[in-house]
Amino acid sequence: MAKSRSQRSATRLPSVLNVHSVAGQVFVLQVGVVLLLVVAALVALVLQARSASLQEANERSLVGAETFAHAPGTLAAMKSADPSALLQPRAEEARKGSGVAYVIAFSPAGFRWTHPDPKLIGKHVVGSYSDALAGRVHQATYDTPGIGRAVDSMVPVFDTDGKVVGLVSVGVTVKAINHRVAEQLPLLFGSAAVGLALVTGGSALVSRRLRRQTHGLEPAEMTRMYEHHDAVLHSVREGVLVVSDEGRLLLANDEASRLLDLPDDVVGRPVTDLGLAPRTATLLTSGRTASDVVLLAGERLLAVNVRPTAPHGGSTGSVATLRDTTELRALAGRAQVARARLQLLYDAGVRIGTTLDVVRTAEELAEIAVPRFADFVTVELLDAVRRGEEPNGAGPAMHRVAVRGIRDDHPLYPADEAITFLPTTPQAQGLHSGHGVLEPDLSAAPGWQAQDPERTRRVLDFGIHSLITVPLQARGMVLGLVDFWRSDQDTFTEEDLAFAEELAARAAVAVDNARRFTREHTMAVTLQRSLLPRTLPEQSALEVAHRYLPAQAGVGGDWFDVIPLPGTRVALVVGDVVGHGLHAAATMGRLRTVVHNFCALDLAADELLGHLDELVAHIDETETADEESEGITGATCLFAIYDPVSGRCSIARAGHPGPALVHPDGVVTFPEVPVSPPLGLGSGLPVETAELHLSEGSRLALYTDGLIEARDRDIDTGLGLLRTALAHPGQTPEQACQAVLDALLPDRPGDDIALLVAQTRLLDPDRVAYWDVPADPAALGPIRAACARRLETWGLDEIAFNTELILSELVTNAIRYGSDPIRLRLLHDRDSLICEVADGSSTSPHLRRAATTDEGGRGLFLVAHYARRWGTRYTPRGKVIWSEQSLDAAPAELDATMADLLLDQWDEPML
């Protein structure tokens, strides 16, 4: 055991003393440091002892001089007649008592009063003492003969008036310092020995630890390893950073400095003070593990990995590696562009074609592409496409419908401009080939410049430099062109051309859908308007104005009508068929025709709606049985009959909004009109009628629910707006219609709107004549005479004969076949004379062909010949047979030949 320990000691000692080993070099260095410290300590000791001795001498000399100069009696002795006799004994006593070298007092003239050597008393002092004479303390060190090196302090003695009366000089010998240094040498050399022992032991421990940590490598091997590692560290194309747990940078290789643009003096500085991006500095100082975190450093894209160093035997901290992925950034940039393009295509699919309007669809294409793809976009369409028709082949003549750009002061052709492209232009080439055409540099495109040299020059001066033109094609048909222009963005590339073609293809489908919708919408509107009244019939009872506005989504089934009735009466009709499209329009036409036919029967308002309800129910039953047919899914109607003679108006409605009544003073009311179920849903229930008496100048407003109902307001709000718009006395029907639409019309009507405003008139009482007819044939003569006189009053002598024939026939029939009461009424309207005979019987005469042997049957034939028209209407208490003669036509004459020809036209059945 002892042998092994001695062997280890022998082995350890040579390693310590071997100067070629790291421990030996450290040992030599530490011994040299110890010796240097010993020498430095010795020199410092000598200098300190010398300085202390000199300082002590200065202090003692000054204290002695100050004490003797200010001692009691010193001033008086110096002012005495014999200063030496008084001062010498005291000076010697003080010198011996304080141990100073000398105490000398002398006069301001420099003659000594005292001295340790009495022989020198009265002698002149040697040296300068001007500072003392000036009143200041003077200290100096001299080599004095017989005394050696001494410190001299010279102090002035002042009289009571401040005058210097004498000087005191005290000298103190500077003691030798050798004995002080000698006293410290044992301690000094003992400390040096202890230091050497510690150095030797420490070197042994360092050697052992270094050998363990360096795995026995020699300095040369360690040097080679360090050089290798340093070369690798600074040569790799990957940045390396070592950061302490305090956030300070401990190491940065060359690549890291280059990637992060670090200054030269970064080692030891906090990472947060290196000017790095906040996210980068936070990651490097966080101490957490990170793998391939992508960070942006200037123009570089770095992939950063961070690992802690403590688990691997290092100090607490972290090491980060940086890898330049700028190429990946370029790839990511292309991926971002591709992602943006995909997003643009998605947005185009959502935002293009929202209105099914051809021009608006083209505008949406331009809006979606600016500025995300192009700086300016123009769209041209064929004229047939704009009208909704099938394109009849692609031609160079286009119509620009949309222009959109980042600026409004561009020199491109404006919207609504007709353009015919020359064959050399990119647009014409694209139409011919069916593919997009790229012009990356318009300044070098003579074919494009030939279209309009002046305008193209202004386009180039404006800064537009690149163009992509793509034909809009759908279902194999060219619909138009879209042009993408760039001024601020980079020049178009082939990749941009492919994207532009994809965008144009998607937009073309939307444009074609809008075109087809426009065509169908135009057809439906055409059908609907052909079914609606184009002009209102002439009549004198009402002044009528109307408005009809189809819904934006398509045509509907709203309708209105003004139908003249016998006796100067007028029927007003407003209806609404539920739904939109051709079926609703066709249904509306059918109902309008039925209403006209029912009006020909001169039915009352409630009867007419009752028959119409039965008809709609029957249509629903028969047509819904056929799977391919559509019934009438719902319809409403309001029917009003106005009589200008009495001023009365009867109104009935089936599921329809009630009318608005504007009195002559401008007050608006909504009369209570009983409402029946919509047409087809009445189930045979009776329809109620409201009877109104309208003053002359009153206005009756009939409308459909599309006017007062909207998504953003309820019915009550709509009725309030309607009331406000109509509440203006003196409005004409035209003005009233416009005011109502201005107040209630939404920006995009969701339903059809039909509006009818009628202002009432009354027939002049002077143009109305009444006679009660007794049920006696003898009364016919007086009645004819009275009628002749009234016709003469009206200036209708020309038709008096024909009127007498008609009156004779109608009154005779009422007397023979009718019942009481019988009444005759003549109405003189604008261009007609109306004759009405009412009786209490419901039996109606019929026109028939009379045989040659018949005694009667020809009266109604004569009425039909002389009157413009005739007919029968039923009243609650009987019937009215009427005839209407035209005042503009020449009176009809009937001879025998004409009578035979007319009679031969009638069939056998009675009409």
Side-chain angles (χ1 to χ4, degrees), residues 23-369:
Q25 295 175 358
V26 173
F27 175 72
V28 172
L29 176 62
Q30 290 181 344
V31 169
V33 171
V34 170
L35 293 177
L36 181 61
L37 291 176
V38 171
V39 173
L42 182 59
V43 172
L45 181 60
V46 173
L47 295 177
Q48 183 180 8
R50 184 175 180 179
S51 175
S53 298
L54 185 59
Q55 182 67 25
E56 182 181 359
N58 282 332
E59 293 175 356
R60 288 181 61 196
S61 172
L62 180 59
V63 169
E66 291 283 355
T67 302
F68 189 82
H70 297 89
T74 300
L75 176 59
M78 288 184 177
K79 295 173 62 178
S80 66
D82 189 4
S84 296
L86 297 175
L87 294 175
Q88 177 64 17
R90 296 174 64 182
E92 285 300 311
E93 182 182 0
R95 179 182 68 80
K96 293 176 181 180
S98 60
V100 298
Y102 56 83
V103 177
I104 302 174
F106 58 94
S107 67
F111 296 98
R112 297 185 182 94
W113 286 327
T114 65
H115 196 277
D117 187 1
K119 298 179 181 181
L120 297 178
I121 294 175
K123 302 294 184 180
H124 199 283
V125 297
V126 179
S128 174
Y129 51 91
S130 58
D131 288 344
L133 287 175
R136 296 187 294 270
V137 176
H138 175 74
Q139 283 187 318
T141 303
Y142 303 103
D143 290 327
T144 307
I147 297 176
R149 190 169 182 80
V151 175
D152 180 76
S153 295
M154 191 178 299
V155 178
V157 179
F158 298 96
D159 198 352
T160 57
D161 57 359
K163 180 180 180 182
V164 178
V165 297
L167 304 169
V168 176
S169 177
V170 177
V172 178
T173 305
V174 179
K175 297 180 181 180
I177 63 173
N178 294 334
H179 67 282
R180 293 192 179 187
V181 175
E183 293 175 358
Q184 301 295 329
L185 288 179
L187 179 60
L188 180 62
F189 287 116
S191 300
V194 173
L196 288 175
L198 292 176
V199 166
T200 303
S203 298
L205 292 176
V206 170
S207 176
R208 182 179 179 184
R209 186 173 182 83
L210 286 175
R211 290 180 66 84
R212 183 170 65 250
Q213 291 182 349
T214 60
H215 305 287
L217 297 176
E218 294 296 331
E221 296 175 341
M222 292 181 62
T223 300
R224 287 194 300 272
M225 180 178 291
Y226 172 77
E227 292 175 350
H228 174 71
H229 287 176
D230 188 65
V232 172
L233 181 66
H234 293 286
S235 299
V236 295
R237 301 298 296 171
E238 188 170 292
V240 178
L241 298 175
V242 179
V243 182
S244 68
D245 58 344
E246 298 177 351
R248 294 184 177 273
L249 185 62
L250 302 179
L251 181 143
N253 68 345
D254 294 343
E255 183 67 7
S257 298
R258 184 185 70 84
L259 295 178
L260 298 177
D261 295 327
L262 298 177
D264 296 334
D265 55 342
V266 294
V267 176
R269 293 173 55 183
V271 175
T272 55
D273 295 343
L274 301 180
L276 303 178
R279 186 182 175 193
T280 304
T282 301
L283 179 62
L284 294 178
T285 57
S286 64
R288 62 182 177 86
T289 300
S291 299
D292 291 331
V293 177
V294 179
L295 298 175
L296 185 63
E299 297 295 329
R300 300 183 180 92
L301 200 66
L302 304 180
V304 182
N305 294 274
V306 181
R307 296 291 185 274
T309 57
H312 304 286
S315 60
T316 303
S318 59
V319 60
T321 60
L322 313 172
R323 186 170 66 255
D324 189 358
T325 58
T326 304
E327 294 182 358
L328 292 178
R329 182 186 180 189
L331 182 60
R334 290 193 294 270
Q336 184 177 4
V337 172
R339 184 166 57 252
R341 295 288 172 83
L342 289 176
Q343 183 64 38
L344 179 55
L345 290 176
Y346 171 78
D347 293 342
V350 173
R351 294 175 52 186
I352 298 177
T354 59
T355 62
L356 291 177
D357 180 81
V358 174
V359 175
R360 179 58 190 155
T361 302
E363 293 174 348
E364 291 171 342
L365 168 60
E367 291 172 358
I368 196 69

Side-chain angles (χ1 to χ4, degrees), residues 569-583:
R569 296 169 303 138
V570 177
L572 301 177
V573 188
V574 175
D576 183 4
V577 176
V578 176
H580 297 89
L582 292 176
H583 177 70

Side-chain angles (χ1 to χ4, degrees), residues 422-427 429 439 442 444-452 456:
L422 297 180
T424 59
T425 59
Q427 290 84 351
Q429 296 173 6
E439 285 290 352
L442 291 177
W448 170 75
Q449 297 179 23
Q451 174 71 30
D452 188 344
T456 55

Side-chain angles (χ1 to χ4, degrees), residues 629-653:
S629 300
E630 297 184 39
I632 301 176
T633 57
T636 65
C637 183
L638 184 147
F639 189 82
I641 297 177
Y642 174 70
D643 186 355
V645 177
S646 62
R648 301 189 63 82
C649 181
S650 60
I651 304 176
R653 60 181 177 137

